[in-house]
Amino acid sequence: MPFIPHTDEDIRRMLAEVGVDSINSLFDEVPSDLIDPGLPGIPEGVSEMEITREMNERAAGDMLGPCFLGAGAYRHHVPAAVWEITTRGEYYSAYTPYQAEASQGTLQLIYEYQSMMSGLMGMDASNASLYDGGSALAEAVLMAVRANRKSKSGRILVPDTVNPMYCDATRTIVGNQGITLETVASNAETGAVDVETLEQWEGEDIAALVIQQPNWFGRLEEAQALTDWAQRNGALVIAVVNPTAMAVLTPPGEWGENGADIACGEGQPLGIPLSSGGPYFGFMCCRKAHVRQMPGRIVGRTVDLEGRTGYTLTLQAREQHIRRNKATSNICTNQGLMVTAATIYLSLLGAEGLERVAGHCHANTRKLTERLAGIKGVSLRFDGPYFHERVVELDRPAEPVFQQLASQGILAGYPLGRHDKRLSNALLVCATETVTDADIDRFADALSHALAKAA
């Protein structure tokens, strides 16, 4: 039974007071074709005991074997202290800390998170999280259109090397807001964008160019040249980056002559377990010139009347997210608990620790792909520099092979044919610092056997 505090008599008196006959009359301005008569397919509620048992059974079904799956979510080692601290009562809430006098601990943590993310991205400012990488890109697109006052087109150039799931989320969010996402084709041989390809938009009104680094295929884009082209043509640059990779790669704030304008992405690699798909969190940083267009919470440091350090929400109204079309964004309460975990993770590892994690990831991916390339029926696709993901091509469709290895407890990468039929034989494989030599041997042996048996 749902908890409904109002009795029939309460409802009758309320309706009489406002002068209407029924609850439905309060919503008569809603067109009838938009009213859903029910929720077909939704099962009846179950007891707490039943749902607990079902969730335990589902959790037991999660694979704990070797994982070579990336594509936007990555299995990293998370120090035990991260979630031991994160789940303490002082932190165990995602609610926006409106009352600064009662939330100094939470506000200080968010401030430290913003400081670390700004440093990692080489940018001037950071907000305090979005929902995930896809919504972060969507908010970055909206922000770029607002911030680029020289552009009136609402046109965003999005290479086909950007995570297609992020693109789907972005189209869903911005598609009805006068914004157009135009696809930039990548080089079929290199899996990256050639600057020359952008010449067809030379001189046109473009609001922003999106650059993912590393890109969907694991390749490193020519971020410096792409950034300079965009800014010469009056477009802002939106960087979509893997935060772990930024420990060893040039950060967005240093791309080209002036740096990217906005950096965003998925924060899951920073201390968040895979957890069957979430919850994760999105991050966003920007140059100082655009900070007033940034969505979400921003915490600032100040001093009180007695000169003591204090922290408070700043640069935007407390109620900005309920101002509808006048708001910077409708983002409200979000993944604050995940940001807490990321802050603790970054503080425990430090700059040196994060760089070592990134180094191990790259080294393990080199070992993995070199081993797989030695298997009959396997070749490497897209030559060029990469971080910790690469595309391997099989001599047959990849999906059945992936499913066969999954039945053996091996997550053998991501079948790219799910998004592009031209890549139906391709697997996107990833190796993080959690992968061992024994894991690589097990994957290679299983793949070799699967291909030989099918042949």
Side-chain angles (χ1 to χ4, degrees):
M1 284 289 292
F3 175 67
I4 301 175
H6 305 112
T7 65
D8 291 342
E9 177 61 18
D10 292 334
I11 295 172
R12 186 192 65 76
R13 290 172 56 194
M14 182 273 291
L15 293 175
E17 186 69 24
V18 298
V20 296
D21 298 328
S22 66
I23 293 290
N24 289 337
S25 299
L26 299 174
F27 304 97
D28 59 3
E29 73 276 12
V30 179
S32 59
D33 59 332
L34 295 182
I35 298 177
D36 192 335
L39 296 174
I42 303 298
E44 295 295 323
V46 297
S47 68
E48 179 182 341
M49 181 176 67
E50 291 173 298
I51 195 62
T52 300
R53 178 169 183 169
E54 179 173 343
M55 295 306 295
N56 285 333
E57 290 173 351
R58 292 189 181 189
D62 284 351
M63 293 183 181
L64 298 177
C67 178
F68 302 93
L69 180 62
Y74 306 96
R75 179 186 286 180
H76 287 286
H77 170 67
V78 181
V82 171
W83 284 94
E84 183 66 28
I85 298 173
T86 301
T87 52
R88 287 177 60 95
E90 300 95 311
Y91 295 122
Y92 213 11
S93 171
Y95 197 68
T96 299
Y98 285 141
Q99 294 175 292
E101 67 275 12
S103 307
Q104 283 298 292
T106 301
L107 289 167
Q108 181 179 354
L109 182 140
I110 293 174
Y111 180 84
E112 300 296 347
Y113 161 81
Q114 292 173 177
S115 301
M116 287 188 279
M117 291 304 296
S118 297
L120 187 60
M121 298 297 147
M123 307 293 277
D124 297 323
S126 166
N127 74 359
S129 101
L130 300 160
Y131 294 117
D132 54 21
S135 68
L137 176 56
E139 290 288 344
V141 166
L142 293 170
M143 177 179 169
V145 171
R146 293 192 304 269
N148 192 346
R149 300 186 184 279
K150 296 180 180 179
S151 173
K152 305 299 181 183
S153 68
R155 298 167 67 193
I156 309 293
L157 298 184
V158 184
D160 60 11
T161 56
V162 175
N163 188 319
M165 291 172 276
Y166 290 7
C167 294
D168 289 345
T170 300
R171 287 191 181 92
T172 299
I173 294 171
V174 310
N176 293 318
Q177 302 192 52
I179 296 174
T180 303
L181 305 184
E182 300 186 16
T183 302
V184 179
S186 60
N187 186 312
E189 298 298 322
T190 65
V193 176
D194 295 330
V195 178
E196 294 75 19
T197 304
L198 298 173
E199 292 177 357
Q200 60 186 296
W201 287 280
E202 198 87 36
E204 296 187 20
D205 184 357
I206 301 297
L209 169 67
V210 178
I211 306 171
Q212 181 168 343
Q213 186 79 320
N215 70 23
W216 171 240
F217 302 124
R219 279 292 324 278
L220 301 187
E221 298 278 8
E222 293 287 345
Q224 311 281 355
L226 294 173
T227 297
D228 285 340
W229 179 91
Q231 294 175 344
R232 279 198 311 270
N233 286 273
L236 300 188
V237 173
I238 300 172
V240 182
V241 298
N242 180 324
T244 303
M246 294 302 101
V248 292
L249 301 179
T250 302
E254 299 176 13
W255 290 358
E257 292 185 10
N258 300 311
D261 296 278
I262 303 168
C264 64
E266 174 59 65
Q268 179 273 328
L270 304 178
I272 313 301
L274 290 175
S275 303
S276 301
Y280 300 156
F281 76 94
F283 64 86
M284 180 182 289
C285 300
C286 74
R287 294 164 60 184
K288 185 177 180 180
H290 309 311
V291 70
R292 289 191 176 276
Q293 296 296 336
M294 182 178 284
R297 299 170 295 178
I298 303 173
V299 174
R301 184 176 66 181
T302 184
V303 294
D304 63 13
L305 293 176
E306 298 179 10
R308 297 174 299 184
T309 298
Y311 302 89
T312 183
L313 295 180
T314 187
L315 288 182
Q316 56 184 250
R318 164 181 163 174
E319 296 85 3
Q320 69 93 21
H321 50 264
I322 61 172
R323 297 175 66 222
R324 300 197 178 189
N325 61 321
K326 295 182 179 180
T328 302
S329 167
N330 294 125
I331 281 286
C332 184
T333 298
N334 49 36
Q335 308 292 16
L337 190 66
M338 302 301 110
V339 166
T340 300
T343 306
I344 296 168
Y345 175 86
L346 287 170
S347 65
L348 288 174
L349 267 65
E352 179 184 350
L354 193 63
E355 183 177 349
R356 289 169 61 187
V357 167
H360 282 299
C361 290
H362 179 70
N364 284 342
T365 301
R366 289 193 64 175
K367 285 192 287 187
L368 170 66
T369 52
E370 288 172 1
R371 178 69 191 278
L372 296 181
I375 298 173
K376 184 179 180 180
V378 180
S379 60
L380 298 180
R381 182 84 178 261
F382 303 137
D383 292 331
Y386 59 93
F387 173 52
H388 73 349
E389 289 177 283
R390 285 202 73 178
V391 176
V392 297
E393 190 157 24
L394 311 182
D395 60 1
R396 68 205 68 201
E399 186 71 43
V401 177
F402 169 82
Q403 297 296 344
Q404 183 177 346
L405 268 62
S407 68
Q408 302 174 36
I410 301 172
L411 291 176
Y414 188 86
L416 292 176
R418 295 177 179 180
H419 299 280
D420 188 341
K421 297 302 181 184
R422 296 171 298 179
L423 297 172
S424 60
N425 287 14
L427 277 173
L428 179 65
V429 297
C430 171
T432 67
E433 81 282 8
T434 63
V435 169
T436 65
D437 291 345
D439 292 334
I440 294 174
D441 290 339
R442 181 180 170 187
F443 179 17
D445 292 343
L447 180 59
S448 178
H449 180 72
L451 296 177
K453 183 177 179 180

